[in-house]
Amino acid sequence: MEPQVELSPALVDNYVALLLSPYGRNVAIVDPAEAEPVIRHLRERYLQPVAIFNTHHHPDHTGGNRELQKAYDLPVYGAAEDRDRIPGLTHPMYEGDRVTPAGLDREGVVWDIPGHTHTHIAFVFPEDGLLFAGDTLFVAGCGRLFEGTAAQMEASLSRLASLPDSTRVYCGHEYTLKNLRFARAVEPENEAVREKLAWAEGVRARGEPTLPSTIGEEKRTNPFLRVRKPEVQAAALRRGASGADPAAVFAAIRAWRDRF
Ligand SMILES: [Zn+2]
């Protein structure tokens, strides 16, 4: 299969994903943290950008919007409610809206997945088996709760987990090693976590990205997708969870991760 996505590292630990058109050199730019490394990547690979997708408004996901728009005259897709927070937004999106920029020849759909921010969205490409999860779902982790509640974030992650296991997951940051070390602390007996940590240590030692993951792998290794598992519930209760329901378990695990 032809590669569908290229990654352009930016800032300290951000990834800008470039989603390629099936047979051409056109790309959609997902969450441009900054413009300069993206423009360099586009030129080196002879890629033509046709759109910007923003999962949420944080500057390390939108910082390159203006400069890229100036250089390439690009439409910007983001949550309608973020119209005052996303620079250059041209295509305000709502839950369920189709994402079909001219020249990309792929069809995405917008999912509302609040929690990290109130207005965080995912770009889901069902036919291609691709998910752009921004700062909601990380490899073996999830984003901090800046604007939403634990219940909202848990519901958003559960929704993402309902995608087919083979769905490839792209996210906004390289936090994998720390996330897997935390996952091991939550579930010391989880063999899949130990195996993935050993793999990730090798990958990072070579300076390579640990992305993409898959929904199937995340269901086996990500404590935030495993809040219904007895082992994770027990660990959360030992850390002061107010109950064993998914939101309470999630809240306790998230608070623990914040201090980890
Ligand atoms: Zn963010």
Side-chain angles (χ1 to χ4, degrees):
M1 188 167 53
E2 287 286 303
Q4 298 169 308
V5 178
E6 297 187 8
L7 290 173
S8 191
L11 302 177
V12 179
D13 52 30
N14 279 79
Y15 286 122
V16 182
L18 304 174
L19 170 62
L20 284 100
S21 56
Y23 307 108
R25 307 299 294 172
N26 294 343
V27 293
I29 303 167
V30 186
D31 286 346
E34 52 182 341
E36 194 271 331
V38 176
I39 291 173
R40 196 166 0 106
H41 185 120
L42 295 169
R43 287 185 180 152
E44 279 169 9
R45 302 272 300 117
Y46 301 100
L47 300 173
Q48 180 63 41
V50 295
I52 292 172
F53 299 160
N54 290 133
T55 60
H56 64 298
H57 75 281
H58 284 158
D60 62 325
H61 294 253
T62 59
N65 278 18
R66 290 284 189 202
E67 212 178 316
L68 286 163
Q69 259 183 325
K70 212 180 293 170
Y72 299 103
D73 189 26
L74 298 173
V76 175
Y77 294 71
E81 286 174 273
D82 267 340
R83 55 169 55 98
D84 297 327
R85 306 202 288 185
I86 291 181
L89 184 73
T90 59
H91 286 59
M93 296 277 109
Y94 293 91
E95 162 69 32
D97 278 354
R98 302 274 144 192
V99 180
T100 55
L104 189 64
D105 297 322
R106 295 188 189 275
E107 183 168 317
V109 60
V110 166
W111 282 13
D112 283 339
I113 47 167
H116 179 66
T117 65
H118 284 312
T119 48
H120 197 299
I121 59 175
F123 292 87
V124 182
F125 288 78
E127 280 167 37
D128 302 306
L130 290 170
L131 164 66
F132 297 94
D135 284 358
T136 298
L137 173 62
F138 293 132
V139 180
C142 75
R144 283 175 188 262
L145 299 174
F146 284 118
E147 298 176 2
T149 65
Q152 268 180 334
M153 188 66 148
E154 199 285 315
S156 294
L157 291 169
S158 290
R159 190 175 178 201
L160 296 180
S162 74
L163 287 163
D165 281 357
S166 59
T167 306
R168 273 151 301 149
V169 180
Y170 288 89
C171 56
H173 292 272
E174 178 64 63
Y175 294 154
T176 304
L177 282 181
K178 190 162 185 195
N179 284 343
L180 283 166
R181 286 174 189 141
F182 176 71
R184 185 178 57 182
V186 176
E187 290 187 272
E189 307 298 323
N190 185 327
E191 195 57 42
V193 168
R194 276 191 274 181
E195 276 172 27
K196 187 149 186 183
L197 178 55
W199 168 83
E201 280 169 342
V203 170
R204 293 307 294 151
R206 295 193 298 275
E208 292 166 10
T210 57
L211 273 53
S213 186
T214 64
I215 291 293
E217 273 180 55
E218 291 310 304
K219 280 156 62 174
R220 288 191 290 277
T221 56
N222 189 326
F224 298 101
L225 296 189
R226 295 172 58 77
V227 295
R228 289 166 179 78
K229 302 284 179 195
E231 309 88 285
V232 177
Q233 288 169 341
L237 287 167
R238 284 196 298 274
R239 290 273 159 172
S242 59
D245 60 287
V249 172
F250 178 90
I253 300 284
R254 184 60 256 182
W256 179 7
R257 175 66 179 82
D258 289 346
R259 300 186 304 269
F260 187 74

